[in-house]
Amino acid sequence: MTISVTKEFRSVYGPVKSWRYGRSLGIDPIGKISTCSFNCVYCQLGEIETKTATRQVFIPTTKIIADLQTFNLDDLDVITISGSGEPTLAFNLGEIIVAIKEITDKPVIVLTNGTLLSDPEVRKQLSLADRVAVKLDGVSEGMVQRIDRPVAGIELKNILAGIKTFRQGFPGFMGIQTMILTPWDDNKKRAYIDAIESISPDEVQLNTPSRPKPLKHQLEGRGNHSSAAERSYPVITFRQVDPQFIKTFGNEITSLTGIKCVFRPS
Ligand code: SF4
């Protein structure tokens, strides 16, 4: 007789070493099935399993807090809500942030793709975070369709409008995170700088894909994948953009907008 053992889902993982935030404990409000309103070509979770822009409670707040209480929170720099997809899809995001803040004063960061920011309730819940990093990978509808592959009905113009409205009402620290897959021409760079100027974030983070994409969804993709030697599943790796291009573009953004630009140290 075969006895199958179902491993219990852990909604808290890490700490993950983040070049930007230090020792970061991850909170996953989404769960075992990857769920997102994007399906980015480079997503480290693998192909997104449920593509949706509809919010729901995936993991009860009580489960997240019970998992969190099994960790030593003193040994961390930040707590990051991200996980197996888009965290603003979690209807209880605001409740989760409030509950985390009741047990620790470590900064709470949310990483979001920004697609739901036109919803006032999402903006209200997200505003409870200390820091928010919003993804902006494309400066044209075509780029967003090719790179981020959103669910039907999500368009760049609405994403940008939502980001700007959120920015105006958010008292915390806001970054824009951009994944650059190939060097951009002058038109793209100009359009991006214009977008950044109109959003006016506290900082811009320029990235190039450093983590592999599993062919099939792997829960491990929430954090740093293990090394190639230890990995038991096939992945796609991406060619990275020349760090010099990223650095030069970052300096250009800062000199034209006055906004700080950070990139992964090479
Ligand atoms: S990278 Fe983020 S936004 Fe893109 S598909 Fe993966 S979870 Fe969604």
Side-chain angles (χ1 to χ4, degrees):
M1 185 174 73
T2 309
I3 300 172
S4 79
V5 179
T6 311
K7 217 170 144 191
E8 198 209 342
F9 172 74
R10 303 265 290 163
S11 61
V12 181
Y13 57 95
V16 174
K17 210 171 147 204
S18 155
W19 67 271
R20 187 67 201 101
Y21 304 118
R23 276 176 68 77
S24 163
L25 192 66
I27 305 281
D28 182 355
I30 300 297
K32 273 185 184 166
I33 299 171
S34 62
T35 304
C36 193
S37 44
F38 276 173
N39 181 23
C40 302
V41 290
Y42 58 82
C43 181
Q44 69 184 67
L45 298 170
E47 190 74 8
I48 292 296
E49 294 164 304
T50 302
K51 301 167 189 89
T52 181
T54 304
R55 305 185 77 205
Q56 67 171 85
V57 173
F58 299 90
I59 310 287
T61 307
T62 47
K63 157 79 175 152
I64 290 175
I65 296 306
D67 286 349
L68 185 59
Q69 281 170 328
T70 65
F71 283 82
N72 174 11
L73 305 182
D74 295 335
D75 193 24
L76 305 169
D77 296 309
V78 295
I79 293 178
T80 304
I81 304 179
S82 165
S84 299
E86 170 51 36
T88 62
L89 285 173
F91 201 71
N92 53 340
L93 176 66
E95 191 182 89
I96 294 167
I97 297 170
V98 169
I100 294 170
K101 285 176 165 288
E102 275 169 11
I103 56 175
T104 177
D105 54 11
K106 298 288 174 185
V108 176
I109 302 176
V110 181
L111 310 183
T112 175
N113 65 20
T115 53
L116 274 70
L117 293 180
S118 49
D119 178 340
E121 180 57 27
V122 171
R123 293 197 299 271
K124 189 173 150 198
Q125 292 185 16
L126 198 55
S127 291
L128 297 166
D130 298 296
R131 299 187 208 168
V132 172
V134 188
K135 182 185 296 297
L136 182 65
D137 290 339
V139 287
S140 66
E141 297 291 352
M143 278 178 88
V144 171
Q145 292 299 325
R146 276 195 311 279
I147 299 169
D148 299 326
R149 303 186 296 176
V151 296
I154 290 181
E155 294 179 357
L156 176 64
K157 60 177 189 299
N158 298 331
I159 297 174
L160 284 173
I163 296 175
K164 284 181 213 169
T165 309
F166 174 71
R167 171 59 176 161
Q168 284 156 15
F170 179 51
F173 186 93
M174 190 184 121
I176 291 289
Q177 276 188 340
T178 298
M179 187 66 87
I180 299 183
L181 300 179
T182 52
W184 290 2
D185 63 21
D186 288 346
N187 287 340
K188 283 183 188 157
K189 289 201 277 187
R190 186 66 249 174
Y192 183 81
I193 290 168
D194 287 348
I196 292 300
E197 234 170 354
S198 66
I199 296 167
S200 191
D202 293 296
E203 78 174 19
V204 170
Q205 298 173 21
L206 297 181
N207 297 315
T208 181
S210 60
R211 291 175 179 164
K213 173 178 184 168
L215 293 189
K216 279 193 181 159
H217 172 233
Q218 301 291 333
L219 201 56
E220 194 186 319
R222 300 184 301 186
N224 299 329
H225 286 285
S226 27
S227 67
E230 292 165 345
R231 233 173 6 236
S232 59
Y233 46 88
V235 296
I236 304 167
T237 49
F238 298 89
R239 184 181 298 171
Q240 299 197 0
V241 170
D242 182 356
Q244 195 51 47
F245 170 83
I246 305 259
K247 205 170 171 188
T248 306
F249 184 32
N251 291 340
E252 212 177 323
I253 295 167
T254 302
S255 72
L256 289 170
T257 65
I259 295 166
K260 185 179 164 203
C261 201
V262 295
F263 21 84
R264 180 187 292 273
S266 48

